[in-house]
Amino acid sequence: MWAVRCLLLCFALAGADNLPKAAVPPESCQRADWRGVAWRGRSREERTCNAYPFKVSSERMTGAFPIDGVDGNHARAVRDCVFSRSPPTPLKGPLRLAAVSQDAVESILDLEVGEAQSEDFLNYASGGRLIPGSVPLAHRYGGHQFGYWAGQLGDGRAHFLGRYTNRLGETWELQLKGSGKTPYSRSGDGRAVVRSSLREFLASEAMHALGVPTSRAASLVVSEEPVLRDRFYDGHVKKERGAVVLRLARSWFRIGSLEILSRAGELDLLRKLLNFVIEEHFPSIPSNDPDKYLVFYTTVVNATARLIARWASVGFAHGVCNTDNFSLLSITIDYGPFGFMESYNPNFVPNTSDDGGRYSAGNQAGAALFNMEKLVEALSPVLTRQQRRRAQTALEAFAGVYRTRFHQLFKAKLGLLGEEEEDGHLIAFLLKMMEDTGSDFTMTFRQLSEASEPQLQRRNFHQDFWALRHLSSHKLFSGWLRTYLLRLGRQEGDSDAGRQHRMKKANPRYVLRNWMAESAIRKAEADDFSEVALLHRTLTSPYLTQDAAEEAGYAARPPRWAQGLKVSCSS
Ligand code: AMP
Ligand code: MG
């Protein structure tokens, strides 16, 4: 019934009456065409013919899993399904496209970025209209939040729109966030506000550009719809504006997706979901392998350990490392009160709601390990006793995998080639000095990359090397520097220019510091999106020095007012 309704809606949306005369495609094309939106590298004819239609499909999901038997977006406990049907609730206009990621739109969705300016795109990207082929769904998942089983959570304000297979043959899942209530909204309003949506948009794209596995953000649409939020949970409820991010991931399944099925004893469904994820995303695991769930688990453990090491290498703290926010594909998802560390401090807690510092930067590997324990608990009913034992061995290897990756990444950050016994010590020593002095994480490494060897030898740190100047106040700095330079000097076939070149590719000059996001948010809340655009542009090439970014102070010492900034869970 729903599918029929949706199809009818799609047909109605794809009607030809608004198209300019010359572009009216043959009738057979009209149904599947994301009208007004062109496809990259394709001729006008191709774009308006369903030889290359932009359409998504939800069939793989609706075909693979039973769907919630109850329709409607009212909050309820859901059982025996993986998804519920849930139409988005359109944002109240006027709408505005506040940001669009050219890279995501062009390289993932095969669209011309200019076409994202169209009215149609605005509607599709905010839940006002359904993309042809879409059967919008809300995913049922659970999760451990701050160490405790929280029961049913689910997509309370996100809608899966469908999957799109691009010209590279990659399949991506499109999702709206902030698109209204679903059966999983509990007491929430299903909305997201401009500030948190902007942070998610910028952070996803920044992390991608940094080379960290992550979900992507295609666009950010803001509205005039009032959304009430108590930003710091201090009783000051304020009217903010609603926004929707169109986010993309190869898969949005999380640890909590499996946990809820396991906890509810829905084991057939648990196997079904596991088989689906393995078949779709772990093609090297044969479907007839009797150990496939164990191999899957081992792969997730290792990939997650490596992901957390990547986070550490760019000073990223997620903020809410609950099992519902940990992807089965080991990508970074669900950006909330995250932070990029400024002064190096393993106790950095980006989320002011995290009183105990459970998810501090330095605890993320521990939090991920806890999540891996929860994952094996969820899998346990479908593992044999022997497989459970082997899974424990995989879990025990987590710390080693993390340490190895961390070591590799930090060696690259220091430009070290080969392996010497003291390398670990060199890295740890530097981090300890940075912690003691509160040196800026990003810029210390960047400036070590930018300083020439003679500059380092002479400790010639002028104004531009503000972070190194700060670090050099440590009483053990000279000793460390001497050891470091000797280590570099032993690298056969290496040159100073080569070292600098390598290090500049391993150490970003720009990350999304809280004050940068906050400054852009303040302007965006007054309808000025110029700083969002500048930040987005800057963070898309974080390893390249850029004039406009320099002028904006993005690589300078953080301003004083940045110190008092707080980010809570409110979003
Ligand atoms: P998060 O902290 O964003 O990962 O969200 C945790 C859970 O709360 C998820 O199930 C979300 O869908 C849900 N949630 C968060 N904010 C809202 C909201 N405004 N309305 C409905 N559900 C929400
Ligand atoms: Mg979440």
Side-chain angles (χ1 to χ4, degrees), residues 141 145 153-158 177 184-192 229 254 320 324-325 334 569 571:
Y141 60 81
Q145 299 193 314
L153 297 166
D155 288 333
R157 52 172 168 172
K177 180 169 175 182
Y184 307 98
S185 297
R186 294 171 289 159
S187 56
D189 58 8
R191 291 301 187 204
R229 288 289 182 273
R254 307 124 197 277
V320 195
D324 51 303
N325 290 336
D334 281 18
C569 267
S571 57

PDB file of all heavy atoms in Angstrom, residues 141 145 153-158 177 184-192 229 254 320 324-325 334 569 571, ligand 1:
ATOM      1  N   TYR A 141      17.048   0.758  15.903  1.00  0.00           N
ATOM      2  CA  TYR A 141      18.263   0.287  16.563  1.00  0.00           C
ATOM      3  C   TYR A 141      18.202   0.627  18.047  1.00  0.00           C
ATOM      4  O   TYR A 141      17.333   1.372  18.488  1.00  0.00           O
ATOM      5  CB  TYR A 141      19.535   0.861  15.901  1.00  0.00           C
ATOM      6  CG  TYR A 141      19.663   2.378  15.885  1.00  0.00           C
ATOM      7  CD1 TYR A 141      20.113   3.079  16.998  1.00  0.00           C
ATOM      8  CD2 TYR A 141      19.367   3.112  14.745  1.00  0.00           C
ATOM      9  CE1 TYR A 141      20.267   4.460  16.980  1.00  0.00           C
ATOM     10  CE2 TYR A 141      19.509   4.500  14.703  1.00  0.00           C
ATOM     11  CZ  TYR A 141      19.952   5.167  15.836  1.00  0.00           C
ATOM     12  OH  TYR A 141      20.101   6.531  15.813  1.00  0.00           O
ATOM     13  N   GLN A 145      24.308   3.583  26.014  1.00  0.00           N
ATOM     14  CA  GLN A 145      24.663   4.997  26.124  1.00  0.00           C
ATOM     15  C   GLN A 145      25.373   5.217  27.454  1.00  0.00           C
ATOM     16  O   GLN A 145      24.845   4.849  28.506  1.00  0.00           O
ATOM     17  CB  GLN A 145      23.405   5.861  26.031  1.00  0.00           C
ATOM     18  CG  GLN A 145      22.690   5.681  24.684  1.00  0.00           C
ATOM     19  CD  GLN A 145      21.629   6.728  24.429  1.00  0.00           C
ATOM     20  OE1 GLN A 145      20.826   7.023  25.306  1.00  0.00           O
ATOM     21  NE2 GLN A 145      21.612   7.287  23.242  1.00  0.00           N
ATOM     22  N   LEU A 153      16.324   2.911  20.537  1.00  0.00           N
ATOM     23  CA  LEU A 153      16.626   4.308  20.180  1.00  0.00           C
ATOM     24  C   LEU A 153      16.088   4.542  18.770  1.00  0.00           C
ATOM     25  O   LEU A 153      14.971   4.982  18.606  1.00  0.00           O
ATOM     26  CB  LEU A 153      18.134   4.560  20.261  1.00  0.00           C
ATOM     27  CG  LEU A 153      18.745   4.388  21.666  1.00  0.00           C
ATOM     28  CD1 LEU A 153      20.252   4.316  21.613  1.00  0.00           C
ATOM     29  CD2 LEU A 153      18.299   5.532  22.576  1.00  0.00           C
ATOM     30  N   GLY A 154      16.867   4.198  17.778  1.00  0.00           N
ATOM     31  CA  GLY A 154      16.382   4.290  16.393  1.00  0.00           C
ATOM     32  C   GLY A 154      16.526   5.674  15.795  1.00  0.00           C
ATOM     33  O   GLY A 154      16.903   6.634  16.470  1.00  0.00           O
ATOM     34  N   ASP A 155      16.237   5.761  14.502  1.00  0.00           N
ATOM     35  CA  ASP A 155      16.291   7.043  13.794  1.00  0.00           C
ATOM     36  C   ASP A 155      15.133   7.914  14.273  1.00  0.00           C
ATOM     37  O   ASP A 155      14.015   7.830  13.758  1.00  0.00           O
ATOM     38  CB  ASP A 155      16.130   6.837  12.271  1.00  0.00           C
ATOM     39  CG  ASP A 155      17.348   6.213  11.630  1.00  0.00           C
ATOM     40  OD1 ASP A 155      18.458   6.386  12.159  1.00  0.00           O
ATOM     41  OD2 ASP A 155      17.179   5.571  10.566  1.00  0.00           O
ATOM     42  N   GLY A 156      15.404   8.747  15.265  1.00  0.00           N
ATOM     43  CA  GLY A 156      14.331   9.577  15.815  1.00  0.00           C
ATOM     44  C   GLY A 156      14.132  10.876  15.049  1.00  0.00           C
ATOM     45  O   GLY A 156      13.136  11.579  15.234  1.00  0.00           O
ATOM     46  N   ARG A 157      15.099  11.190  14.201  1.00  0.00           N
ATOM     47  CA  ARG A 157      14.948  12.420  13.405  1.00  0.00           C
ATOM     48  C   ARG A 157      15.702  12.286  12.082  1.00  0.00           C
ATOM     49  O   ARG A 157      16.143  13.284  11.513  1.00  0.00           O
ATOM     50  CB  ARG A 157      15.469  13.621  14.184  1.00  0.00           C
ATOM     51  CG  ARG A 157      16.875  13.446  14.724  1.00  0.00           C
ATOM     52  CD  ARG A 157      17.346  14.727  15.292  1.00  0.00           C
ATOM     53  NE  ARG A 157      18.568  14.525  16.057  1.00  0.00           N
ATOM     54  CZ  ARG A 157      19.292  15.501  16.547  1.00  0.00           C
ATOM     55  NH1 ARG A 157      18.917  16.749  16.333  1.00  0.00           N
ATOM     56  NH2 ARG A 157      20.371  15.270  17.233  1.00  0.00           N
ATOM     57  N   ALA A 158      15.885  11.044  11.677  1.00  0.00           N
ATOM     58  CA  ALA A 158      16.570  10.818  10.403  1.00  0.00           C
ATOM     59  C   ALA A 158      15.719   9.901   9.543  1.00  0.00           C
ATOM     60  O   ALA A 158      14.972   9.060  10.060  1.00  0.00           O
ATOM     61  CB  ALA A 158      17.943  10.197  10.641  1.00  0.00           C
ATOM     62  N   LYS A 177      18.727  14.184   7.903  1.00  0.00           N
ATOM     63  CA  LYS A 177      18.732  14.308   9.373  1.00  0.00           C
ATOM     64  C   LYS A 177      18.082  15.637   9.750  1.00  0.00           C
ATOM     65  O   LYS A 177      18.465  16.683   9.223  1.00  0.00           O
ATOM     66  CB  LYS A 177      20.158  14.248   9.913  1.00  0.00           C
ATOM     67  CG  LYS A 177      20.223  14.369  11.434  1.00  0.00           C
ATOM     68  CD  LYS A 177      21.598  14.043  11.953  1.00  0.00           C
ATOM     69  CE  LYS A 177      21.695  14.288  13.447  1.00  0.00           C
ATOM     70  NZ  LYS A 177      23.058  14.024  13.945  1.00  0.00           N
ATOM     71  N   TYR A 184      10.548   6.432  16.243  1.00  0.00           N
ATOM     72  CA  TYR A 184      11.648   6.341  17.218  1.00  0.00           C
ATOM     73  C   TYR A 184      11.968   7.688  17.871  1.00  0.00           C
ATOM     74  O   TYR A 184      13.009   7.846  18.495  1.00  0.00           O
ATOM     75  CB  TYR A 184      12.898   5.771  16.524  1.00  0.00           C
ATOM     76  CG  TYR A 184      12.587   4.473  15.834  1.00  0.00           C
ATOM     77  CD1 TYR A 184      12.309   4.437  14.462  1.00  0.00           C
ATOM     78  CD2 TYR A 184      12.486   3.288  16.556  1.00  0.00           C
ATOM     79  CE1 TYR A 184      11.962   3.254  13.830  1.00  0.00           C
ATOM     80  CE2 TYR A 184      12.144   2.091  15.934  1.00  0.00           C
ATOM     81  CZ  TYR A 184      11.876   2.088  14.575  1.00  0.00           C
ATOM     82  OH  TYR A 184      11.518   0.914  13.966  1.00  0.00           O
ATOM     83  N   SER A 185      11.077   8.650  17.705  1.00  0.00           N
ATOM     84  CA  SER A 185      11.380  10.005  18.205  1.00  0.00           C
ATOM     85  C   SER A 185      11.216  10.129  19.709  1.00  0.00           C
ATOM     86  O   SER A 185      11.646  11.124  20.294  1.00  0.00           O
ATOM     87  CB  SER A 185      10.491  11.038  17.515  1.00  0.00           C
ATOM     88  OG  SER A 185      10.754  11.063  16.146  1.00  0.00           O
ATOM     89  N   ARG A 186      10.598   9.164  20.332  1.00  0.00           N
ATOM     90  CA  ARG A 186      10.292   9.276  21.770  1.00  0.00           C
ATOM     91  C   ARG A 186       9.700  10.652  22.047  1.00  0.00           C
ATOM     92  O   ARG A 186       8.752  11.030  21.383  1.00  0.00           O
ATOM     93  CB  ARG A 186      11.560   8.985  22.601  1.00  0.00           C
ATOM     94  CG  ARG A 186      12.000   7.531  22.440  1.00  0.00           C
ATOM     95  CD  ARG A 186      13.340   7.256  23.046  1.00  0.00           C
ATOM     96  NE  ARG A 186      14.401   7.872  22.258  1.00  0.00           N
ATOM     97  CZ  ARG A 186      15.613   8.158  22.709  1.00  0.00           C
ATOM     98  NH1 ARG A 186      15.913   7.902  23.965  1.00  0.00           N
ATOM     99  NH2 ARG A 186      16.522   8.678  21.917  1.00  0.00           N
ATOM    100  N   SER A 187      10.290  11.440  22.963  1.00  0.00           N
ATOM    101  CA  SER A 187       9.666  12.748  23.222  1.00  0.00           C
ATOM    102  C   SER A 187      10.294  13.852  22.380  1.00  0.00           C
ATOM    103  O   SER A 187       9.999  15.034  22.580  1.00  0.00           O
ATOM    104  CB  SER A 187       9.785  13.092  24.711  1.00  0.00           C
ATOM    105  OG  SER A 187      11.155  13.049  25.048  1.00  0.00           O
ATOM    106  N   GLY A 188      11.176  13.481  21.462  1.00  0.00           N
ATOM    107  CA  GLY A 188      11.856  14.492  20.643  1.00  0.00           C
ATOM    108  C   GLY A 188      10.962  15.048  19.548  1.00  0.00           C
ATOM    109  O   GLY A 188       9.905  14.481  19.231  1.00  0.00           O
ATOM    110  N   ASP A 189      11.378  16.157  18.981  1.00  0.00           N
ATOM    111  CA  ASP A 189      10.566  16.813  17.954  1.00  0.00           C
ATOM    112  C   ASP A 189      10.969  16.413  16.536  1.00  0.00           C
ATOM    113  O   ASP A 189      10.391  16.903  15.556  1.00  0.00           O
ATOM    114  CB  ASP A 189      10.642  18.345  18.111  1.00  0.00           C
ATOM    115  CG  ASP A 189      12.079  18.852  18.033  1.00  0.00           C
ATOM    116  OD1 ASP A 189      12.989  18.045  17.715  1.00  0.00           O
ATOM    117  OD2 ASP A 189      12.298  20.051  18.297  1.00  0.00           O
ATOM    118  N   GLY A 190      11.972  15.574  16.422  1.00  0.00           N
ATOM    119  CA  GLY A 190      12.374  15.114  15.089  1.00  0.00           C
ATOM    120  C   GLY A 190      13.195  16.119  14.305  1.00  0.00           C
ATOM    121  O   GLY A 190      13.564  15.884  13.161  1.00  0.00           O
ATOM    122  N   ARG A 191      13.506  17.222  14.943  1.00  0.00           N
ATOM    123  CA  ARG A 191      14.213  18.291  14.228  1.00  0.00           C
ATOM    124  C   ARG A 191      15.668  18.426  14.676  1.00  0.00           C
ATOM    125  O   ARG A 191      16.062  17.893  15.720  1.00  0.00           O
ATOM    126  CB  ARG A 191      13.508  19.636  14.467  1.00  0.00           C
ATOM    127  CG  ARG A 191      12.142  19.737  13.789  1.00  0.00           C
ATOM    128  CD  ARG A 191      12.272  19.554  12.303  1.00  0.00           C
ATOM    129  NE  ARG A 191      11.018  19.793  11.591  1.00  0.00           N
ATOM    130  CZ  ARG A 191      10.733  19.275  10.405  1.00  0.00           C
ATOM    131  NH1 ARG A 191      11.583  18.458   9.797  1.00  0.00           N
ATOM    132  NH2 ARG A 191       9.607  19.539   9.811  1.00  0.00           N
ATOM    133  N   ALA A 192      16.423  19.122  13.890  1.00  0.00           N
ATOM    134  CA  ALA A 192      17.800  19.478  14.244  1.00  0.00           C
ATOM    135  C   ALA A 192      17.945  20.972  13.976  1.00  0.00           C
ATOM    136  O   ALA A 192      17.314  21.506  13.055  1.00  0.00           O
ATOM    137  CB  ALA A 192      18.783  18.693  13.384  1.00  0.00           C
ATOM    138  N   ARG A 229      15.031  24.886  21.820  1.00  0.00           N
ATOM    139  CA  ARG A 229      16.136  24.140  22.414  1.00  0.00           C
ATOM    140  C   ARG A 229      16.675  24.848  23.650  1.00  0.00           C
ATOM    141  O   ARG A 229      16.805  26.078  23.671  1.00  0.00           O
ATOM    142  CB  ARG A 229      17.305  24.003  21.422  1.00  0.00           C
ATOM    143  CG  ARG A 229      17.068  23.057  20.271  1.00  0.00           C
ATOM    144  CD  ARG A 229      17.062  21.598  20.718  1.00  0.00           C
ATOM    145  NE  ARG A 229      16.878  20.694  19.587  1.00  0.00           N
ATOM    146  CZ  ARG A 229      15.712  20.294  19.088  1.00  0.00           C
ATOM    147  NH1 ARG A 229      14.581  20.730  19.630  1.00  0.00           N
ATOM    148  NH2 ARG A 229      15.664  19.462  18.062  1.00  0.00           N
ATOM    149  N   ARG A 254      24.671   0.320  12.552  1.00  0.00           N
ATOM    150  CA  ARG A 254      25.532   0.551  13.720  1.00  0.00           C
ATOM    151  C   ARG A 254      25.579  -0.684  14.607  1.00  0.00           C
ATOM    152  O   ARG A 254      24.780  -1.600  14.423  1.00  0.00           O
ATOM    153  CB  ARG A 254      24.910   1.643  14.608  1.00  0.00           C
ATOM    154  CG  ARG A 254      24.572   2.896  13.958  1.00  0.00           C
ATOM    155  CD  ARG A 254      23.100   3.300  14.126  1.00  0.00           C
ATOM    156  NE  ARG A 254      22.812   4.319  13.110  1.00  0.00           N
ATOM    157  CZ  ARG A 254      23.109   5.583  13.289  1.00  0.00           C
ATOM    158  NH1 ARG A 254      23.569   5.994  14.437  1.00  0.00           N
ATOM    159  NH2 ARG A 254      22.911   6.449  12.309  1.00  0.00           N
ATOM    160  N   VAL A 320      30.467  11.453  21.809  1.00  0.00           N
ATOM    161  CA  VAL A 320      29.425  10.525  22.276  1.00  0.00           C
ATOM    162  C   VAL A 320      29.664   9.142  21.654  1.00  0.00           C
ATOM    163  O   VAL A 320      28.947   8.725  20.731  1.00  0.00           O
ATOM    164  CB  VAL A 320      28.002  11.024  21.929  1.00  0.00           C
ATOM    165  CG1 VAL A 320      26.959  10.252  22.729  1.00  0.00           C
ATOM    166  CG2 VAL A 320      27.831  12.507  22.213  1.00  0.00           C
ATOM    167  N   ASP A 324      25.327   3.113  19.702  1.00  0.00           N
ATOM    168  CA  ASP A 324      24.419   3.519  18.611  1.00  0.00           C
ATOM    169  C   ASP A 324      25.092   4.526  17.685  1.00  0.00           C
ATOM    170  O   ASP A 324      24.575   4.810  16.604  1.00  0.00           O
ATOM    171  CB  ASP A 324      23.115   4.109  19.167  1.00  0.00           C
ATOM    172  CG  ASP A 324      23.353   5.191  20.204  1.00  0.00           C
ATOM    173  OD1 ASP A 324      24.020   4.898  21.205  1.00  0.00           O
ATOM    174  OD2 ASP A 324      22.895   6.322  19.995  1.00  0.00           O
ATOM    175  N   ASN A 325      26.238   5.042  18.091  1.00  0.00           N
ATOM    176  CA  ASN A 325      26.956   5.992  17.229  1.00  0.00           C
ATOM    177  C   ASN A 325      28.212   5.375  16.634  1.00  0.00           C
ATOM    178  O   ASN A 325      29.057   6.091  16.107  1.00  0.00           O
ATOM    179  CB  ASN A 325      27.335   7.244  18.031  1.00  0.00           C
ATOM    180  CG  ASN A 325      26.116   8.084  18.376  1.00  0.00           C
ATOM    181  OD1 ASN A 325      25.091   8.017  17.701  1.00  0.00           O
ATOM    182  ND2 ASN A 325      26.217   8.872  19.424  1.00  0.00           N
ATOM    183  N   ASP A 334      27.389  10.234  12.993  1.00  0.00           N
ATOM    184  CA  ASP A 334      26.612  10.941  14.016  1.00  0.00           C
ATOM    185  C   ASP A 334      27.430  11.991  14.768  1.00  0.00           C
ATOM    186  O   ASP A 334      27.707  11.872  15.962  1.00  0.00           O
ATOM    187  CB  ASP A 334      25.990   9.941  15.000  1.00  0.00           C
ATOM    188  CG  ASP A 334      24.744   9.299  14.415  1.00  0.00           C
ATOM    189  OD1 ASP A 334      24.565   9.357  13.187  1.00  0.00           O
ATOM    190  OD2 ASP A 334      23.935   8.742  15.182  1.00  0.00           O
ATOM    191  N   CYS A 569      25.205  18.376  24.309  1.00  0.00           N
ATOM    192  CA  CYS A 569      24.514  17.385  23.469  1.00  0.00           C
ATOM    193  C   CYS A 569      23.329  18.004  22.731  1.00  0.00           C
ATOM    194  O   CYS A 569      22.813  17.418  21.787  1.00  0.00           O
ATOM    195  CB  CYS A 569      23.954  16.281  24.354  1.00  0.00           C
ATOM    196  SG  CYS A 569      25.048  14.890  24.530  1.00  0.00           S
ATOM    197  N   SER A 571      20.966  19.501  20.333  1.00  0.00           N
ATOM    198  CA  SER A 571      21.155  19.677  18.896  1.00  0.00           C
ATOM    199  C   SER A 571      19.807  19.698  18.177  1.00  0.00           C
ATOM    200  O   SER A 571      19.720  19.465  17.021  1.00  0.00           O
ATOM    201  CB  SER A 571      22.038  18.566  18.347  1.00  0.00           C
ATOM    202  OG  SER A 571      21.459  17.326  18.638  1.00  0.00           O
TER     203      SER A 571
HETATM  204  P1  AMP B   1      22.218  11.266  19.144  1.00  0.00           P
HETATM  205  O1  AMP B   1      22.655  11.714  20.492  1.00  0.00           O
HETATM  206  O2  AMP B   1      22.014  12.382  18.167  1.00  0.00           O
HETATM  207  O3  AMP B   1      23.072  10.178  18.604  1.00  0.00           O
HETATM  208  O4  AMP B   1      20.762  10.666  19.344  1.00  0.00           O
HETATM  209  C1  AMP B   1      20.443   9.618  20.235  1.00  0.00           C
HETATM  210  C2  AMP B   1      19.031   9.178  19.988  1.00  0.00           C
HETATM  211  O5  AMP B   1      18.130  10.251  20.243  1.00  0.00           O
HETATM  212  C3  AMP B   1      18.742   8.721  18.576  1.00  0.00           C
HETATM  213  O6  AMP B   1      17.779   7.721  18.648  1.00  0.00           O
HETATM  214  C4  AMP B   1      18.199   9.966  17.945  1.00  0.00           C
HETATM  215  O7  AMP B   1      17.415   9.710  16.822  1.00  0.00           O
HETATM  216  C5  AMP B   1      17.362  10.535  19.076  1.00  0.00           C
HETATM  217  N1  AMP B   1      17.161  11.988  18.975  1.00  0.00           N
HETATM  218  C6  AMP B   1      18.070  12.967  19.188  1.00  0.00           C
HETATM  219  N2  AMP B   1      17.505  14.177  18.999  1.00  0.00           N
HETATM  220  C7  AMP B   1      16.222  13.969  18.650  1.00  0.00           C
HETATM  221  C8  AMP B   1      15.134  14.818  18.329  1.00  0.00           C
HETATM  222  N3  AMP B   1      15.234  16.142  18.328  1.00  0.00           N
HETATM  223  N4  AMP B   1      13.953  14.233  18.025  1.00  0.00           N
HETATM  224  C9  AMP B   1      13.820  12.907  18.030  1.00  0.00           C
HETATM  225  N5  AMP B   1      14.794  12.052  18.330  1.00  0.00           N
HETATM  226  C10 AMP B   1      16.003  12.569  18.633  1.00  0.00           C
END
